[in-house]
Amino acid sequence: MAPSLKPVCRLMTYTLMLSSLLASSALHAATTLRLGWTTSDSPLDPYAITAHYFQEELEAAAPGEFQVRFFPSNQLGNDTEMLQGMQLGMLDVGVITGTQLGTLDASFQINDLPFLFKDSAQAHRVLDGELGQTLFNSLERLGIVGLGFSEAGFRHTINNKRPIEKPADFAGIKLRVQPSDLYLTSFRALGANPVPMPWSDAFTAVQQGTVDGLEIPLSVIYANKYAGAVKYLSLTSHTYNALALLMSKQALERLSPELQAVVRSAARKAIERQRETVASNEKALIEKIKAEGMQVNDIGSAQPFRDAVAPVYEQYRESIGAELLDRTLKQVSE
């Protein structure tokens, strides 16, 4: 080889080596997942706990393969906007309140039927089984994959008018509820004056007296500082608040089959941990809420409330699906 060609050959060799290294680096670059939710990024917030545990389980199962970026507090929009983002492939993962999924498929309204589940253990068993899979199957055609249901616990009633001890105590109380016809119908059946409102507007509405209160899980009351803004907490346990951990179908299908399996497994493990943490946290939350000045009461028997909302079940039988409703009622009665 002529001496004058040696530098050129060396340059070509270095260029090829650099290209190879860059290509190798690109192949092993972490997959970025944008994960959004509407509430605060608090250690006690059930949405935030779900998000962080999911990130931890992904890293434990596949170190360095995923970079999860968190977007709490409506940074990527409200639940409706995040659902649209996942459908379009613009948002990768979301922790979404189950109520909002009823806007995509009416069968999800079954989770919001008042006084459906007697306790969290029963809700877990039903939602982890046939019912949960049936519900998530309805999302696949819309471009969203259900990874499982974490929880925010049962929803209770807070307001600035009076304690709720019997259905008649709801009379005339203006309550912020999730933008859901079923919630509106349920609280009207109880005698309240429900007002549909996005979560992002709820705290200001209570502070300004636009509404008297809202229905909300214990962990969300404390994490979002409602204990300092509302007088009364009544432990109505009227609805189990399922949180759906969802992923854009486009984002999931961009992954290899092996990493798709990692995502699903990490979600299951994160949800198991999240449920345990939420249950443990709730044991101390009532005392913390009391210490911040909120008056707390139990409703005693739930039967008068169940009787008051019985017509709601029949009203929504067809929209939810009669067969699905009957199968679920059979399971919760066992």
Side-chain angles (χ1 to χ4, degrees):
M1 180 180 295
S4 61
L5 295 180
K6 288 183 179 179
V8 176
C9 291
R10 283 198 294 269
L11 179 60
M12 291 176 64
T13 301
Y14 294 151
T15 301
L16 289 170
M17 290 173 61
L18 180 59
S19 298
S20 177
L21 287 171
L22 290 172
S24 175
S25 176
L27 287 172
H28 290 88
T31 297
T32 298
L33 297 178
R34 289 158 52 89
L35 197 168
W37 67 96
T38 58
T39 55
S40 66
D41 192 2
S42 159
L44 290 174
D45 186 279
Y47 294 76
I49 295 169
T50 303
H52 283 276
Y53 282 0
F54 182 50
Q55 186 274 333
E56 291 173 13
E57 292 298 337
L58 284 174
E59 181 62 22
E65 291 288 348
F66 295 95
Q67 179 186 30
V68 181
R69 298 179 60 199
F70 297 132
F71 295 88
S73 303
N74 295 288
Q75 289 182 38
L76 298 179
N78 59 30
D79 283 325
T80 299
E81 291 164 334
M82 286 193 289
L83 286 171
Q84 292 170 346
M86 282 185 278
Q87 287 180 280
L88 297 172
M90 298 170 63
L91 174 63
D92 302 304
V93 186
V95 184
I96 307 291
T97 182
T99 298
Q100 290 304 309
L101 296 178
T103 64
L104 297 181
D105 190 287
S107 60
F108 274 92
Q109 292 179 318
I110 196 167
N111 284 332
D112 292 330
L113 287 171
F115 305 101
L116 175 64
F117 298 117
K118 67 180 180 181
D119 54 35
S120 295
Q122 185 183 68
H124 299 165
R125 176 170 54 82
V126 174
L127 290 174
D128 290 346
E130 182 184 358
L131 174 62
Q133 191 57 57
T134 299
L135 294 176
F136 282 145
N137 286 346
S138 70
L139 295 181
E140 295 258 358
R141 60 183 174 79
L142 301 174
I144 297 174
V145 176
L147 300 176
F149 288 103
S150 60
E151 70 173 19
F154 280 89
R155 300 179 76 89
H156 306 286
T157 305
I158 63 174
N159 82 97
N160 282 315
K161 287 283 189 181
R162 68 183 76 92
I164 305 298
E165 297 177 336
K166 55 188 181 300
D169 294 328
F170 274 110
I173 292 180
K174 187 179 291 187
L175 287 178
R176 176 269 173 184
V177 300
Q178 300 184 75
S180 157
D181 287 343
L182 193 152
Y183 268 79
L184 291 168
T185 302
S186 297
F187 279 94
R188 284 171 184 151
L190 289 167
N193 179 13
V195 179
M197 184 181 296
W199 170 251
S200 55
D201 298 335
F203 193 86
T204 300
V206 169
Q207 283 185 313
Q208 296 179 348
T210 306
V211 296
D212 300 316
L214 57 156
E215 45 82 41
I216 186 173
L218 291 174
S219 52
V220 182
I221 293 171
Y222 186 78
N224 293 273
K225 305 187 185 305
Y226 276 93
V230 183
K231 294 179 183 177
Y232 304 108
L233 162 61
S234 299
L235 301 175
T236 48
S237 298
H238 51 270
T239 307
Y240 174 77
N241 197 177
L243 306 180
L245 179 57
L246 306 174
M247 189 166 185
S248 166
K249 191 174 182 180
Q250 293 183 43
L252 184 63
E253 291 182 345
R254 283 198 295 267
L255 302 175
S256 68
E258 292 77 15
L259 288 181
Q260 289 185 36
V262 166
V263 166
R264 292 183 184 276
S265 176
R268 287 194 298 271
K269 291 178 180 179
I271 286 168
E272 289 174 5
R273 289 176 59 198
Q274 190 265 1
R275 288 170 173 174
E276 292 174 358
T277 299
V278 167
S280 176
N281 288 345
E282 285 198 344
K283 294 178 181 178
L285 279 174
I286 292 179
E287 294 307 314
K288 291 181 178 180
I289 289 169
K290 286 180 179 178
E292 293 195 3
M294 187 175 271
Q295 181 178 317
V296 181
N297 73 279
D298 202 322
I299 62 169
S301 173
Q303 193 57 50
F305 295 87
R306 290 195 179 97
D307 293 341
V309 300
V312 177
Y313 280 64
E314 289 307 311
Q315 184 172 340
Y316 282 84
R317 168 176 291 276
E318 295 305 318
S319 61
I320 289 172
E323 182 183 359
L324 182 66
L325 177 58
D326 288 340
R327 278 191 281 121
T328 302
L329 291 176
K330 184 175 185 297
Q331 290 183 63
V332 299
S333 66
E334 293 173 350

